[in-house]
Amino acid sequence: MRTYQSWGRYPRASHTGVLPIVWRTEPPPLDRLDRSILPFGLGRSYGDSCLNDGGLLLDTKALDRLIAFDAGNGLLRCEAGVTLAAILALTVPKGWFLPVVPGTRWVSVGGAIANDIHGKNHHRAGTFGAHVVRLELLRSSGDRLVCSPEENAELFHATVGGLGLTGLILWAEIRLNRIPGAGIALERIRFGSLDEFFTLTESDQQYEYTVAWVDCLARGRRLGRGIFMRGDHAGWPGAPPSPLVEARLRVPCDAPAGLINRATMRAFNELYYRRQVRGRTRSLVPYTPFFFPLDTVADWSRLYGAAGFLQYQCVVPEQPGSAGMREIFERMTRSGEAPSLAVLKRFGDVPSPGLLSFPRPGLTLAVDFAFRGQRTLALLEDLDRVVRDAGGAVYPAKDARMSPESFRRFFPQWERFAVHVDPKFSSSFWRRVQRS
């Protein structure tokens, strides 16, 4: 039986019902529903943007049909519930790859558009929405509108990154990228500080993909140390690995509260950092572990215990000495909380198409925190202040607690977006950030 919760499992929500959407050609009469509604894909949003407490969810998982694929031009049309894994299984053997993928392949196309996801190649490719040619949107009025940068353009820009609030996406067309094979030519570089990270990212444009794992508990001269990874598509000998294969390992139940704490994370970070003996390594790897390392363990979110966790992802503009990002690292190390898995990357300047799109030029950090009540929330609000002062933003797809004031500062086009919110559609996130 499906469970309808976010990936972070905080906050919890009580939905009054779930309506499965099965056929794009025969959508239900949404105007007859007496409660607020929200599309729900695979529940990979971390916070409450995929929740509708007290309302109804539209389960889009059955909209899983691949409609058409032009293998000559790399143009794919599919229903909104199709997973990125299903697309890769079809297209990689034919020499095509999704233009943007996040850290998991278990994301629906509708979710990828609604959250305008980004990946390790943002500095070159921008966001997922930048590669959507067109989509069909079902409004609660019954209107079915084809939207693109040229047709119903304002509604298209509201729907990309629009958190599922403008209507139900039925299908989308996506332009893919040609690749030489299913491999990644990977280079891993161990770096000892934030300054070394900044030096490494100066060569970002020479590589298709760049990202860094960072140790958020290192202090002093080691502040921000980590492992920098960069790679390009490459050939792969033999048959490409199937992205549809489920993980062999699974976390079977909730871990004990407190398993992830500062002591265990210090030990893990030290081992992970020292595991790479040589400062620089080069290898050829299949694309799946490079892009989706966490997919190797199913239900890994249970390691944070029954209380769940929050992922904090922010972006701050480039500043002299990268003062804003340094301040965020300093406050995390002093906080007493246990920042765990963390990645750091430099966003490029490719414009994001959505009115609420999160990516913008600057440095972006994503880091997990086990939920430990008010002290966790207090730290994240403290980090919000740094981000606000720096002119940055926090990612709604990962958020479960940003204030209305912060939302309006982070997304100055929110009023222009709000005009396009379908009157029947809502979410726990949207109601929270709309409070006066």
Side-chain angles (χ1 to χ4, degrees), residues 197-210:
F197 167 82
F198 298 138
T199 300
L200 287 167
T201 57
E202 290 175 0
S203 61
D204 268 5
Q205 288 298 332
Q206 299 177 29
Y207 300 88
E208 289 182 84
Y209 303 100
T210 64

Side-chain angles (χ1 to χ4, degrees), residues 108-379:
S108 69
V109 166
I113 296 171
N115 294 286
D116 200 14
I117 61 170
H118 55 271
K120 299 176 178 66
N121 59 344
H122 183 273
H123 59 286
R124 281 192 175 185
T127 65
F128 191 89
H131 306 272
V132 175
V133 177
R134 57 179 181 159
L135 56 86
E136 185 176 22
L137 191 70
L138 172 66
R139 301 277 285 183
S140 64
S141 61
D143 292 336
R144 298 177 61 158
L145 304 169
V146 173
C147 303
S148 73
E150 296 79 31
E151 184 176 7
N152 295 310
E154 187 71 2
L155 189 53
F156 176 82
H157 294 301
T159 299
V160 174
L163 305 172
L165 295 167
T166 61
L168 176 65
I169 300 172
L170 296 175
W171 57 263
E173 275 185 4
I174 308 155
R175 190 167 296 285
L176 309 185
N177 291 339
R178 178 71 86 177
I179 56 170
I184 294 289
L186 171 64
E187 186 174 21
R188 292 169 56 96
I189 305 167
R190 196 172 70 187
F191 59 93
S193 67
L194 274 180
D195 286 333
E196 290 186 30
F197 167 82
F198 298 138
T199 300
L200 287 167
T201 57
E202 290 175 0
S203 61
D204 268 5
Q205 288 298 332
Q206 299 177 29
Y207 300 88
E208 289 182 84
Y209 303 100
T210 64
V211 71
W213 165 83
V214 286
D215 177 357
C216 288
L217 289 172
R219 293 186 172 195
R221 291 184 301 175
R222 302 186 304 164
L223 185 77
R225 70 173 182 175
I227 307 290
F228 189 77
M229 290 158 276
R230 56 193 183 193
D232 294 307
H233 286 287
W236 179 254
S242 172
L244 297 176
V245 175
E246 298 280 349
R248 294 181 180 178
L249 300 176
R250 178 178 296 275
V251 179
C253 60
D254 292 336
L259 173 67
I260 295 179
N261 55 54
R262 289 176 75 88
T264 57
M265 286 314 306
R266 276 201 182 92
F268 173 85
N269 290 349
E270 190 66 26
L271 287 172
Y272 191 81
Y273 183 73
R274 299 292 177 190
R275 188 183 69 163
Q276 179 166 319
V277 177
R278 290 185 292 168
R280 185 184 300 252
T281 66
R282 293 186 177 89
S283 60
L284 178 66
V285 300
Y287 74 88
T288 45
F290 174 74
F291 289 109
F292 317 118
L294 292 177
D295 285 346
T296 57
V297 181
D299 291 331
W300 59 264
S301 60
R302 289 178 171 173
L303 292 172
Y304 289 92
F309 74 105
L310 297 95
Q311 185 174 97
Y312 187 81
Q313 182 166 8
C314 64
V315 56
V316 293
E318 301 276 0
Q319 299 169 310
S322 301
M325 189 55 70
R326 288 182 190 279
E327 183 64 24
I328 288 170
F329 271 85
E330 294 281 4
R331 295 194 183 203
M332 287 192 298
T333 60
R334 294 195 305 259
S335 68
E337 293 297 292
S340 49
L341 181 65
V343 294
L344 182 63
K345 178 174 169 53
R346 190 190 296 271
F347 279 154
D349 57 5
V350 179
S352 298
L355 298 177
L356 289 191
S357 290
F358 162 71
R360 59 205 70 184
L363 297 167
T364 182
L365 172 72
V367 53
D368 294 348
F369 293 90
F371 180 59
R372 301 199 298 172
Q374 188 55 42
R375 52 186 174 180
T376 308
L377 299 177
L379 169 63

Side-chain angles (χ1 to χ4, degrees), residues 19-23 26-31 33 58 138-140 142 168:
L19 178 63
I21 306 296
V22 179
W23 296 102
E26 300 174 2
L30 302 181
D31 59 330
L33 301 174
L58 305 177
L138 172 66
R139 301 277 285 183
S140 64
L168 176 65

